[in-house]
Amino acid sequence: MQCQGSVSRLGVIRRSNLLLHEKLLLSVRAVSGRHRCHSILSKDTFRAGRPVFLLAKSHGIYGTFTSQRTQSGIVTDPIQQHRQRLSAWFSCLPTEERHFGPSFALDSIHIDPVIRESSPEDILRPLSELTWQAQLQSPLCPQSMSVSQLFQPNAAGKPIRSVVLYGTVGTGKSTLIRKLVLDWCHGRKSEFQLIIPLSCEDLSQVTAPISLTRLIGKKYVHLRELLPTMQHYSGVLFILNSLEWMNLDFRMACTELCSDPNEPMPPAAILVNLLRGYLLPEANVLVTTRPSALSRIPRKYTGRFAEICGFSDMELQKMYFHLRLGHRDADPRETENLAEMLSRNLEHHSQLAAACFLPSYCWLTCATLHLLYYAKPDESPMTLTGIYTTFLRLNFAGEVLDITHPSKISLMLYVARTVGKLAYEGCNSRRTKFTESDITKCFHLQMNSEEELNLLNVFRSDAFRFFLTPCVQPGQESFFVFTIPAMQEYLAALYVVLGENKTALQRLGKELSEVISKAGEDVMAIVNVLSKFLPLRIFTLFNLLRVVPRLYGRVSGQSRENIAQMMTAEMFREEDSYNDDVLDQISYSILGLEGPLQPAEEDNYGRQEAFELYPIFMAGLLSRQNRAMLNQLGCTIMNMDALKITSALKKHLLKRSLRRLPPSELMDFLFFLYEFQNPSFSAVLVNSLRDLDLSTVRMTPIKCNVVAAVIGGTGKLLTDADLSSCHLDPDAIHTLAPVLWRCQNVNLHMNALGPDSCREIKELLLHPDCAISSLRLCNNPLEPEGAQLIVEGLAGNSSLKYLSLLRTDLGDEGAEILANNLGKNKNLQELNLAYNGIHDQAALRLGEVASRHPTLSRVHLYFNELSDSGLRDLQSMGDVRVIVSLTEGSDASRHWSLILRELKANAGGWDQARMGAHLTLLLRDLQSSRAMTGNLWRKVRILRVETEVKRMLSRIQGGKL
């Protein structure tokens, strides 16, 4: 009865879960068409619950499962309880994943990578027989299979008991297992009745013998009643994740046979007997591993080899990007635009499509786009170096290159020493393409040690393709490039800050210093004893042994000085001074540029992208947060080394940062300081800045956050802040507010700021510590609504002296608003309202109010819709100087050069025909004034102004202004 009740309850739950799953699939299919949509995450997402699991699947359990009864009398099915706990555990996402925006539910959104069946002959071929080029030319995946097909009978109809699912780093093995478990937990895998997750990494740390039932019971108390009779169950599937952590020995002399799940054994012996089929022979086994560990399982114990091929279809990549970018907090139009640009670039940029073959690199691409486009004003986004370090931590944290090797060297440290060396030499020689001989040289293929050669073979099979791939450009297929271009700069920076860029003499000196230091300690201990019986002068020579380590310490200190010099030199390379800033370069590399590029331009763009991130990554790797993550990867940067590099770097940067930098280079320098994440270090360097010139830099959310974080937190007062033509919006003004209200002269010219932006400008002016004395808002569509907000800000402001509202679409309504409220401000000295479509009545009203203002001395009203009589009336105003024309009666205006200068400065955003018409009218006035005057000097002055106006008219008509 208990069995029937349990089974019926399971059936009801399974049917309800299946209905829910069908609804989810229907909603997802509406977006993705014919493809199955779920989410691919990085390897460490599988580890979110920590520890990583070893998973078990069953085709069906045919036995009596006893239900558990709680103290309250409620009967709880242990299987259902197990499903709920596994679902909660496997649904957890790492903090780094949640930080990037959407928290995807892996059980409802997922895109399966391609899985293909392979033969032992393909996977066990010695790498020594293959060149680096041939190794990466893996066979295509013409016939793919799903996870549910892994245990179907083979072509000969023979049942499959065990499957080995393998793939290189980053292909999505762990994520696929997570998805399998969650599907089972939610009733979407009806052929599975029980999954018992454990971890091969955890099992490798267990030293004492333990039984299988005891091992399971310790982790899952709610399954203890089922374990005593487990050997009678059929259809149990164990999924052994990351088998590379276990050193299995299938020889009978080393691992005895055991069929009793209650008998204590070493964990390796448990796995060997499971794979042999001697322990729980009715159970199925799914093994996930890196390719290097495939040889540890004899062929006769494996029913099927299956390889995860990643996103070999570009459509899978596009589906992933669309789902990954489209989260609930994002603007749907912006998401659609990003996805469309990314899709076009995938089709155009075949190297990027080759990189996105790995699901983990798709994750990195989306994380970078979240940084570039979804940074929120009130949040401190992750640094770019932090994203790359997190990416490597999610894929390599705790990973040992070869568990059987005595050194137990971490996989990431091996990468830093080998691939990092290749990346470093490429950055030094300004190259992004490498030949086979370059790789051979950096990986030291001419080795004398068998152990070193074995380590290299493990790296080649497991992780080489993660970092390097053949170039796909026609005619350059024999070259290798980094799978993600920025990864070259990151690994080169890591190679430098780890101190691996030592010469052979420096390495030898370090080894000798350590040997002599240890020997010196022993000798000095003997000397101290003998000195009590013999004259100390005899042993004076031995004191020299203490000098050697100190001398080497000074030499190593000089190497840290060299690192600081290298960072400074790379940061301020003259040939990079007028490139786009690095954040735009990253955006272009992912989304592409609008319009086709010429081959020469494309090569030049690649050079820009390849090297300007190099010093920025070096700074980012020295930050405390990234050093902590690198330590988890086995790449330790000592605190003392970081301190000495920072001290030397401060000295070098202070000399270079005093120079005036081009806007894009200044943005890179601020980004450099932001990546460093050292407020006291940044404050010293920011204090050397006198002004902030970021004109023409496209100020995206991340750039605004960078500027606000680096400058806004220091309390630095700046003389000028030029943010003209920066594509600012209200959010940008809000983010930059801590910087702007501390600047004396703020230029927001030509940013398409509308009335909504004026709310943020009003808050700037009303800030109690506002230091703005000059504010230029010209060539922005503020309109009358914006003018109302501006005058509200002026009413409570006491610092502003000059306000330019030139060509801000105010019209007569805006001029009236200013006239009605101008008296509330008692400090304004100059107001520019040129080119605003203001007519006589509103202009005269404004002039009258200005004449009564206690401090206002100059009002600009030229290029407005004024009649001749209106011009004369305005010119005859009393104390206030109203500038309306190039002439004043029969003489040239004293402000003619100011008017023409404003014209030249703003000509790019004005209507050329309308500007030409205004200049023609001004030229007519000049000619009329020259004819009226009899003073020779006045004629000469007017003629000079006429010449300038004619020259400008000629340039406008020729389209050159």
Side-chain angles (χ1 to χ4, degrees), residues 20-40:
L20 176 61
H21 177 53
E22 289 175 358
K23 292 179 179 179
L24 287 170
L25 286 181
L26 287 174
S27 62
V28 172
R29 283 170 181 155
V31 177
S32 60
R34 60 185 178 87
H35 297 279
R36 294 189 344 172
C37 303
H38 304 297
S39 122
I40 285 283

Side-chain angles (χ1 to χ4, degrees), residues 550-655:
R550 295 177 184 174
L551 290 175
Y552 180 76
R554 293 190 177 183
V555 173
S556 62
Q558 184 61 38
S559 69
R560 301 184 190 106
E561 178 81 15
N562 293 338
I563 292 175
Q565 289 178 347
M566 181 189 304
M567 292 174 67
T568 306
E570 290 290 339
M571 187 67 225
F572 295 99
R573 291 182 66 89
E574 292 184 1
E575 58 266 34
D576 298 333
S577 296
Y578 296 95
N579 293 340
D580 290 327
D581 61 84
V582 293
L583 289 168
D584 273 351
Q585 293 178 36
I586 296 168
S587 177
Y588 296 155
S589 68
I590 297 175
L591 300 178
L593 291 167
E594 293 297 330
L597 286 176
Q598 298 297 325
E601 294 176 348
E602 192 169 14
D603 290 343
N604 185 46
Y605 170 72
R607 288 179 61 85
Q608 293 175 13
E609 179 191 34
F611 309 117
E612 288 193 66
L613 274 174
Y614 177 34
I616 293 175
F617 276 140
M618 279 192 271
L621 290 171
L622 290 173
S623 71
R624 181 177 301 177
Q625 299 91 326
N626 286 319
R627 283 191 286 122
M629 283 192 284
L630 286 172
N631 192 49
Q632 298 173 15
L633 290 166
C635 301
T636 303
I637 301 173
M638 305 302 292
N639 291 332
M640 186 57 68
D641 291 341
L643 179 62
K644 290 182 177 179
I645 294 173
T646 301
S647 299
L649 184 62
K650 186 184 299 183
K651 177 181 63 177
H652 292 291
L653 286 179
L654 275 174
K655 296 178 182 178

Side-chain angles (χ1 to χ4, degrees), residues 420-540:
K421 181 180 180 182
L422 182 70
Y424 170 73
E425 293 184 354
C427 286
N428 279 353
S429 58
R430 323 311 286 175
R431 290 185 301 140
T432 57
K433 299 182 178 67
F434 306 92
T435 63
E436 185 131 354
S437 61
D438 294 330
I439 297 176
T440 301
K441 179 181 177 182
C442 287
F443 282 83
H444 303 291
L445 285 187
Q446 288 74 26
M447 293 182 176
N448 297 322
S449 169
E450 180 70 19
E451 292 181 345
E452 291 180 350
L453 185 59
N454 289 339
L455 284 178
L456 178 60
N457 285 333
V458 170
F459 171 77
R460 287 182 64 175
S461 63
D462 290 351
F464 176 64
R465 192 168 189 176
F466 187 85
F467 296 100
L468 291 164
T469 187
C471 183
V472 297
Q473 293 182 7
Q476 300 187 13
E477 292 82 359
S478 61
F479 288 93
F480 295 87
V481 295
F482 277 82
T483 309
I484 291 291
M487 188 61 73
Q488 176 182 350
E489 297 155 275
Y490 180 93
L491 292 178
L494 181 61
Y495 184 78
V496 171
V497 297
L498 286 175
E500 295 293 335
N501 60 326
K502 295 183 177 71
T503 64
L505 183 60
Q506 287 175 326
R507 295 181 187 277
L508 180 61
K510 181 180 180 181
E511 294 174 2
L512 286 175
S513 175
E514 292 175 352
V515 171
I516 293 175
S517 179
K518 292 177 181 178
E521 293 175 1
D522 298 336
V523 171
M524 290 310 301
I526 298 173
V527 167
N528 290 334
V529 175
L530 294 178
S531 63
K532 297 178 180 180
F533 306 100
L534 298 174
L536 188 61
R537 286 174 296 179
I538 298 175
F539 302 100
T540 303

